[in-house]
Amino acid sequence: MQQKTKLFLQALKYSIPHLGKCMQKQHLNHYNFADHYYNRIKLKKYHLTKCLQNKPKISELARNIPSRSFSCKDLQPVKQENEKPLPENMDAFEKVRTKLETQPQEEYEIINVEVKHGGFVYYQEGCCLVRSKDEEADNDNYEVLFNLEELKLDQPFIDCIRVAPDEKYVAAKIRTEDSEASTCVIIKLSDQPVMEASFPNVSSFEWVKDEEDEDVLFYTFQRNLRCHDVYRATFGDNKRNERFYTEKDPSYFVFLYLTKDSRFLTINIMNKTTSEVWLIDGLSPWDPPVLIQKRIHGVLYYVEHRDDELYILTNVGEPTEFKLMRTAADTPAIMNWDLFFTMKRNTKVIDLDMFKDHCVLFLKHSNLLYVNVIGLADDSVRSLKLPPWACGFIMDTNSDPKNCPFQLCSPIRPPKYYTYKFAEGKLFEETGHEDPITKTSRVLRLEAKSKDGKLVPMTVFHKTDSEDLQKKPLLVHVYGAYGMDLKMNFRPERRVLVDDGWILAYCHVRGGGELGLQWHADGRLTKKLNGLADLEACIKTLHGQGFSQPSLTTLTAFSAGGVLAGALCNSNPELVRAVTLEAPFLDVLNTMMDTTLPLTLEELEEWGNPSSDEKHKNYIKRYCPYQNIKPQHYPSIHITAYENDERVPLKGIVSYTEKLKETIAEHAKDTGEGYQTPNIILDIQPGGNHVIEDSHKKITAQIKFLYEELGLDSTSVFEDLKKYLKF
């Protein structure tokens, strides 16, 4: 059986390429499932483990752009002399731990997406799609299946791989870093692999096998960032390609998910508040699909399958947070759903994985990570509180029914491997080399009281031996939209900043999803100003508790996070000295009134409909960064934008920048001589992607800007960055 990833939530992340002015990944606008897309990681310095991402995770209903990640120098893992093969009967956890204990500890690198199927591993090697036998996956002994250069794309990479059940075909979605367009190639596996077909603009895709043992590929087609059509295709002597379903409502999108046991292919139709799921029988894919529950406004649900039962994660009923329900597969309608497990208040469901006898929930409760292991035979629940340094999960694909592996990470700490062993009922962590950051830094969980009394969680990092934190530079992170969590995945440049004495603060404001669905609801539509009040409260609380001061405080945001960052620059510019923005959403009003843009209709549930609702229009005018620029002192601002970005049009960013510069010039003229004009920099990068997280050029430009604005020496920080980035 083809190896599956963890549940629908993680599987959908990249199947939803058109929701939200954001990347990431992760992880339904209300669901906040895991932070970002992680590629396979080869062990080097930090004992990073393989992350076999067959299906990436979803990150809230918003779009996430796959990270290409960096590698640390051009070094390959040092092969151990006299290395002995691992015993065949050793279980997966023991194999991983044994490998960890023999790995060199000098470097690490992050590799491309890979998939295990049968006895092979499929992955990208250089510019080729290749496969090798599982036990030889880390060697150079592989078979080339397809050369990506045949597509004549600029620096193509494989975004997703699916292998047909009997391994006659493999499908791979191929993209480039400077565009969101994709091509899905179908390779016929034989002694001489050949490309059987290619389809443009494929979003999600899955294989099933019909009654006559013929492989059938179901896929969704994306047009102008919208995904409404489902197709199915066969190859070989019986070629066909037909449209199977079309969604008529433009505010909805469609994606596919194959349940972990491959029993059902689910067609998921949803917008930001409502969903509908249809089942295609994995044994009879040509039969008409079965509707689970017709869409009900405000009801979201996702489906997994085990032993003729459907497990449904849904917000139906009170409270309107996620809960786990189940029903017989042959009676799927909502009136038959039985409550199976409820979450505590202020809990966010990050992901779920289904095993033969257990269901594993990955949770964030009050800004801390937990794993709940539910015994399906006796309904027992074991809740495990994870280490306080951990800020994010990386789910590991797993076909071993005895173990549930995953990784934990933070913005300054590379992933660390953990495995829950069902037989022993215990959680094991990797042994061996301990990252020095655990001793040289601190992570604090703080709260700020917003003006309406709400307590807003913050995660703060700083060096353990830092003295007089009030004189240290502070970098504040904010997002606060679509029910998405702030990204808390490992970022080498953030680690370098902490090593250089910076304080990092992640403000989990309303509009995000860190405390569940209600946390998002309290920061969208006509409650968007709550997120701004939360951000102001967080920064003031940090200063009040001795973390830096306004003259050394900087702020960073990307995409929809630019709304709150830009609004703060208008309302309380004295709180920060400098700001970096990437592909920021700054002209909310004009964008949401332009229904010709691809995402406007889909995003009405987040921002409102100013074209037809005067209340929404007037409310947006109160916080829209572009609308509220005024003659006053502003912090210096560095903006990175992308020339052909379809999600946040360049026109709005340019208009904002020009208006801001004109207003600042007007203020400087009125203020007179001696006024120090802030620097406003617009860096327009070529390409049509939305956010290129690992662009070395962008990273170095932003860090250089922050150091210059604060008058700090950046020599040592760039030397340290060279340890991680290829310059």
Side-chain angles (χ1 to χ4, degrees):
M1 180 191 301
Q2 180 172 346
Q3 189 172 12
K4 304 288 182 242
T5 53
K6 316 271 177 202
L7 183 74
F8 32 83
L9 308 183
Q10 83 179 38
L12 310 182
K13 177 176 180 181
Y14 284 97
S15 303
I16 309 179
H18 53 285
L19 275 181
K21 294 176 175 64
C22 62
M23 356 168 294
Q24 325 92 349
K25 172 309 267 286
Q26 335 222 238
H27 258 82
L28 311 251
N29 108 356
H30 299 289
Y31 297 68
N32 284 324
F33 305 46
D35 284 325
H36 196 54
Y37 172 31
Y38 295 87
N39 294 327
R40 181 171 82 106
I41 300 170
K42 266 193 181 178
L43 300 174
K44 288 195 177 177
K45 180 175 182 181
Y46 298 108
H47 287 315
L48 303 190
T49 56
K50 287 184 187 178
C51 182
L52 305 178
Q53 290 295 96
N54 181 8
K55 297 179 183 177
K57 285 194 300 249
I58 183 167
S59 179
E60 296 79 306
L61 282 186
R63 153 130 193 154
N64 287 289
I65 303 301
S67 164
R68 293 293 294 148
S69 300
F70 349 67
S71 34
C72 180
K73 304 181 183 177
D74 283 321
L75 299 178
Q76 294 298 317
V78 179
K79 294 183 180 179
Q80 303 297 307
E81 294 183 6
N82 302 320
E83 185 175 5
K84 297 180 180 179
L86 299 177
E88 288 293 329
N89 59 354
M90 184 180 291
D91 71 23
F93 173 69
E94 295 300 334
K95 285 182 179 180
V96 169
R97 185 162 65 181
T98 301
K99 275 198 169 187
L100 289 171
E101 292 171 349
T102 59
Q103 284 291 339
Q105 299 177 8
E106 296 305 321
E107 308 293 340
Y108 77 93
E109 64 179 354
I110 300 181
I111 314 300
N112 298 319
V113 61
E114 71 172 31
V115 166
K116 292 182 67 174
H117 182 100
F120 289 92
V121 179
Y122 295 77
Y123 56 98
Q124 181 177 343
E125 183 69 35
C127 61
C128 295
L129 169 64
V130 305
R131 71 174 177 179
S132 62
K133 290 185 177 180
D134 192 5
E135 63 272 14
E136 299 174 351
D138 290 328
N139 300 328
D140 293 331
N141 185 18
Y142 52 78
E143 175 189 8
V144 175
L145 304 177
F146 179 70
N147 189 334
L148 276 58
E149 292 181 345
E150 292 184 25
L151 299 177
K152 301 186 183 308
L153 301 173
D154 182 27
Q155 296 183 326
F157 66 90
I158 297 175
D159 182 51
C160 189
I161 299 172
R162 296 288 185 272
V163 185
D166 59 1
E167 240 167 332
K168 291 180 182 177
Y169 298 95
V170 59
K173 184 169 73 171
I174 300 167
R175 296 184 56 243
T176 64
E177 285 202 0
D178 63 357
S179 173
E180 296 198 35
S182 66
T183 299
C184 182
V185 296
I186 314 302
I187 308 301
K188 183 177 182 179
L189 300 175
S190 61
D191 292 339
Q192 296 292 327
V194 295
M195 184 172 73
E196 181 88 3
S198 66
F199 302 123
N201 300 317
V202 170
S203 177
S204 58
F205 56 106
E206 300 287 355
W207 290 100
V208 295
K209 182 182 288 293
D210 68 12
E211 303 92 323
E212 299 179 359
D213 287 337
E214 186 173 38
D215 294 313
V216 184
L217 181 71
F218 286 79
Y219 66 93
T220 55
F221 178 75
Q222 178 181 322
R223 182 187 294 110
N224 296 326
L225 300 181
R226 296 174 180 173
C227 201
H228 295 152
D229 296 322
V230 182
Y231 288 78
R232 57 187 173 191
T234 56
F235 309 94
D237 296 333
N238 187 26
K239 286 185 179 179
R240 55 183 144 176
N241 186 26
E242 61 187 25
R243 187 163 58 182
F244 175 68
Y245 174 86
T246 296
E247 173 56 38
K248 301 278 197 293
D249 190 327
S251 70
Y252 283 75
F253 65 92
V254 183
F255 59 87
L256 306 175
Y257 170 70
L258 189 64
T259 58
K260 187 176 180 181
D261 60 4
S262 299
R263 184 64 181 82
F264 291 104
L265 176 68
T266 62
I267 301 176
N268 300 268
I269 306 158
M270 67 181 301
N271 63 19
K272 288 183 168 58
T273 62
T274 305
S275 64
E276 177 178 288
V277 181
W278 293 74
L279 294 179
I280 295 176
D281 192 330
L283 303 177
S284 303
W286 300 104
D287 290 351
V290 175
L291 175 64
I292 291 183
Q293 173 56 48
K294 185 177 180 180
R295 62 193 75 172
I296 302 172
H297 181 72
V299 173
L300 290 159
Y301 69 98
Y302 295 90
V303 178
E304 187 47 278
H305 176 265
R306 170 192 170 272
D307 287 351
D308 296 326
E309 286 188 317
L310 300 178
Y311 287 78
I312 302 167
L313 191 65
T314 179
N315 67 335
V316 69
E318 293 295 333
T320 54
E321 298 288 344
F322 278 108
K323 51 194 72 74
L324 190 60
M325 309 185 86
R326 64 182 172 187
T327 184
D330 58 358
T331 55
I334 194 170
M335 71 280 295
N336 300 310
W337 297 0
D338 293 325
L339 184 63
F340 179 57
F341 185 80
T342 57
M343 317 299 167
K344 293 181 180 178
R345 185 174 172 272
N346 293 336
T347 297
K348 182 208 180 114
V349 181
I350 294 174
D351 213 339
L352 177 154
D353 197 7
M354 191 68 70
F355 294 83
K356 181 178 182 297
D357 298 314
H358 297 86
C359 173
V360 180
L361 288 166
F362 299 87
L363 308 171
K364 180 181 287 186
H365 174 65
S366 297
N367 205 26
L368 292 170
L369 300 186
Y370 290 79
V371 168
N372 279 11
V373 181
I374 305 173
L376 299 178
D378 57 5
D379 292 349
S380 62
V381 180
R382 180 175 175 79
S383 183
L384 305 170
K385 185 177 181 180
L386 299 175
W389 63 263
C391 301
F393 289 102
I394 303 175
M395 306 309 172
D396 209 338
T397 57
N398 177 43
S399 58
D400 182 357
K402 299 178 181 178
N403 302 318
C404 178
F406 58 91
Q407 295 175 74
L408 299 176
C409 65
S410 85
I412 64 172
R413 177 168 176 165
K416 183 180 177 71
Y417 198 92
Y418 288 79
T419 295
Y420 185 84
K421 304 190 80 170
F422 296 118
E424 300 179 33
K426 293 181 181 179
L427 183 67
F428 293 83
E429 65 179 302
E430 68 174 78
T431 58
H433 175 71
E434 187 67 26
D435 194 298
I437 198 73
T438 58
K439 295 182 179 179
T440 60
S441 68
R442 294 184 64 194
V443 56
L444 304 173
R445 311 287 177 157
L446 306 177
E447 290 182 323
K449 181 177 286 189
S450 197
K451 62 183 181 181
D452 63 355
K454 281 285 186 182
L455 295 178
V456 184
M458 297 182 287
T459 308
V460 178
F461 303 88
H462 67 84
K463 285 184 73 173
T464 304
D465 59 359
S466 289
E467 297 180 358
D468 200 355
L469 290 171
Q470 194 170 17
K471 297 181 180 179
K472 299 296 182 182
L474 167 66
L475 179 60
V476 176
H477 299 69
V478 70
Y479 189 74
Y482 304 114
M484 284 182 60
D485 290 6
L486 264 174
K487 292 196 300 176
M488 303 289 280
N489 56 302
F490 173 59
R491 301 299 309 166
E493 67 271 23
R494 298 297 183 243
R495 176 173 182 142
V496 168
L497 289 179
V498 170
D499 287 341
D500 203 42
W502 283 66
I503 305 165
L504 305 183
Y506 291 76
C507 302
H508 309 293
V509 303
R510 280 174 284 184
E514 286 86 347
L515 298 183
L517 298 182
Q518 191 60 47
W519 196 247
H520 170 231
D522 288 343
R524 69 182 182 97
L525 295 176
T526 55
K527 296 183 179 180
K528 184 61 70 174
L529 281 168
N530 284 340
L532 176 59
D534 293 351
L535 177 58
E536 293 172 351
C538 287
I539 297 176
K540 291 177 180 178
T541 298
L542 290 167
H543 292 163
Q545 294 188 13
F547 294 98
S548 195
Q549 54 188 287
S551 63
L552 291 173
T553 297
T554 62
L555 175 64
T556 186
F558 72 91
S559 195
V563 174
L564 296 184
L568 181 79
C569 291
N570 290 327
S571 66
N572 274 285
E574 71 282 355
L575 289 179
V576 295
R577 174 69 182 84
V579 178
T580 65
L581 302 173
E582 183 176 8
F585 188 28
L586 297 167
D587 189 1
V588 182
L589 183 61
N590 289 324
T591 300
M592 293 307 298
M593 292 187 71
D594 186 353
T595 57
T596 66
L597 295 174
L599 295 182
T600 297
L601 295 177
E602 294 179 0
E603 306 221 330
L604 297 178
E605 295 284 352
E606 180 70 24
W607 309 101
N609 189 348
S611 297
S612 62
D613 191 319
E614 196 68 20
K615 179 182 177 182
H616 286 171
K617 182 177 182 179
N618 292 332
Y619 190 84
I620 291 173
K621 284 182 178 180
R622 293 172 59 189
Y623 68 81
C624 175
Y626 176 80
Q627 299 292 328
N628 289 280
I629 294 173
K630 54 192 174 186
Q632 63 176 6
H633 178 72
Y634 277 85
S636 293
I637 302 175
H638 182 286
I639 302 174
T640 304
Y642 299 96
E643 189 174 16
N644 299 312
D645 189 341
E646 295 182 84
R647 301 182 180 284
V648 178
L650 182 61
K651 177 183 177 182
I653 297 175
V654 171
S655 297
Y656 171 87
T657 305
E658 291 176 348
K659 182 178 180 181
L660 182 61
K661 285 183 176 180
E662 292 173 1
T663 306
I664 288 174
E666 177 185 343
H667 177 67
K669 182 179 179 180
D670 294 341
T671 303
E673 294 184 9
Y675 176 70
Q676 185 176 356
T677 304
N679 293 311
I680 307 298
I681 300 171
L682 175 57
D683 180 13
I684 300 176
Q685 297 288 319
N689 219 328
H690 178 48
V691 174
I692 304 177
E693 185 178 27
D694 300 323
S695 165
H696 300 171
K697 181 179 179 181
K698 177 204 70 178
I699 291 169
T700 54
Q702 290 178 345
I703 290 180
K704 182 174 182 289
F705 170 79
L706 293 178
Y707 272 76
E708 288 179 350
E709 289 300 321
L710 270 57
L712 303 175
D713 183 2
S714 61
T715 305
S716 62
V717 75
F718 281 112
E719 286 299 318
D720 288 341
L721 268 177
K722 290 179 181 179
K723 300 175 184 177
Y724 298 97
L725 309 182
K726 292 179 181 178
F727 286 105

